[in-house]
Amino acid sequence: AQSVTQPDIHITVSEGASLELRCNYSYGATPYLFWYVQSPGQGLQLLLKYFSGDTLVQGIKGFEAEFKRSQSSFNLRKPSVHWSDAAEYFCAVVFQTGANNLFFGTGTRLTVIP
Amino acid sequence: DAGVIQSPRHEVTEMGQEVTLRCKPISGHNSLFWYRQTMMRGLELLIYFNNNVPIDDSGMPEDRFSAKMPNASFSTLKIQPSEPRDSAVYFCASSSGRETDTQYFGPGTRLTVL
């Protein structure tokens, strides 16, 4: 079955610490992969996406993500977290079925401690 | 560009009333998506349109929900009659239509059905 999983519901990090948010998918091929961020009361904003090529993808706000085919993962990372990064982060996939609708993970809420 | 515009931002109504949510996609985009976000179910696709034509409405919960896109610059999502379990944040998103294209989200409509 096709699915996308974010194992961590809530993560707390100190400001300046590094961050890694996990995302795994289940699919017979490589889907198109996205990370979105949602600040409280706001819509979703794209951080980065991957669909081919270099498996390390750079995004906005200093985020990066690495696609690992062997692990069916697309984890989001940031070397030094800022207080303004506190938000909800969603991994999303488009399964290459000809339809271009996103399937979202359940999200990871990030809390940043000063 | 003004981005995706949704109205109203907040809607409070009583059970049994008709609710209409509105969306104006980004000019030039030919795919439009309606998502619903709840604590229980997370973000889920309700319906999406390509070139004003509904492509996949399998996410529409039941016959009480209907969506239209009469032209490239306007879409509505209607709930009639509304029920308390419809309370959620409803997002509209648009994209250029390819699977790898970024979906741009509106700010959402927070619907409360009493």
Side-chain angles (χ1 to χ4, degrees):
Chain A
Q2 302 167 351
S3 66
V4 56
T5 304
Q6 292 180 250
D8 304 305
I9 296 173
H10 185 203
I11 285 182
T12 300
V13 299
S14 298
E15 191 168 16
S18 63
L19 172 69
E20 182 169 25
L21 303 181
R22 296 184 291 166
C23 174
N24 295 94
Y25 65 88
S26 175
Y27 185 51
T30 299
Y32 302 129
L33 297 154
F34 304 78
W35 274 100
Y36 281 83
V37 60
Q38 183 180 27
S39 297
Q42 303 295 315
L44 283 79
Q45 181 184 24
L46 181 74
L47 289 174
L48 46 77
K49 61 183 177 181
Y50 171 82
F51 46 90
S52 68
D54 191 346
T55 57
L56 186 61
V57 180
Q58 301 298 319
I60 62 171
K61 305 185 180 187
F63 285 92
E64 66 178 26
E66 185 172 13
F67 169 62
K68 293 185 177 180
R69 186 188 309 274
S70 61
Q71 299 177 18
S72 298
S73 68
F74 188 55
N75 293 350
L76 182 71
R77 301 194 295 247
K78 187 169 185 178
S80 178
V81 171
H82 188 262
W83 64 267
S84 60
D85 294 324
E88 185 110 19
Y89 291 81
F90 292 92
C91 180
V93 303
V94 171
F95 297 112
Q96 298 184 44
T97 60
N100 59 348
N101 49 301
L102 286 164
F103 289 86
F104 285 90
T106 50
T108 298
R109 184 161 60 94
L110 174 65
T111 298
V112 180
I113 299 174
Chain B
D1 198 320
V4 176
I5 299 173
Q6 291 187 247
S7 65
R9 292 293 310 274
H10 301 273
E11 177 82 35
V12 180
T13 190
E14 292 188 346
M15 183 174 61
Q17 296 299 305
E18 177 180 296
V19 175
T20 299
L21 311 182
R22 297 173 176 80
C23 175
K24 177 179 170 57
I26 292 173
S27 178
H29 283 183
N30 53 18
S31 288
L32 183 140
F33 307 81
W34 282 101
Y35 293 91
R36 178 171 67 176
Q37 185 177 35
T38 61
M39 290 292 292
M40 291 298 295
R41 300 175 65 90
L43 270 161
E44 52 182 348
L45 178 73
L46 298 177
I47 185 171
Y48 83 92
F49 297 83
N50 270 354
N51 296 316
N52 312 337
V53 176
I55 301 300
D56 183 357
D57 65 355
S58 59
M60 295 285 264
E62 49 198 272
D63 292 345
R64 297 185 298 107
F65 285 68
S66 62
K68 295 182 179 180
M69 192 165 186
N71 56 62
S73 59
F74 184 65
S75 176
T76 59
L77 178 68
K78 185 177 294 187
I79 309 172
Q80 166 63 16
S82 57
E83 297 182 2
R85 60 193 169 119
D86 302 330
S87 297
V89 180
Y90 291 81
F91 289 102
C92 176
S94 70
S95 79
S96 298
R98 295 173 302 179
E99 292 174 307
T100 55
D101 288 338
T102 299
Q103 290 187 23
Y104 294 87
F105 283 73
T109 295
R110 181 173 295 278
L111 173 65
T112 302
V113 183
L114 303 174

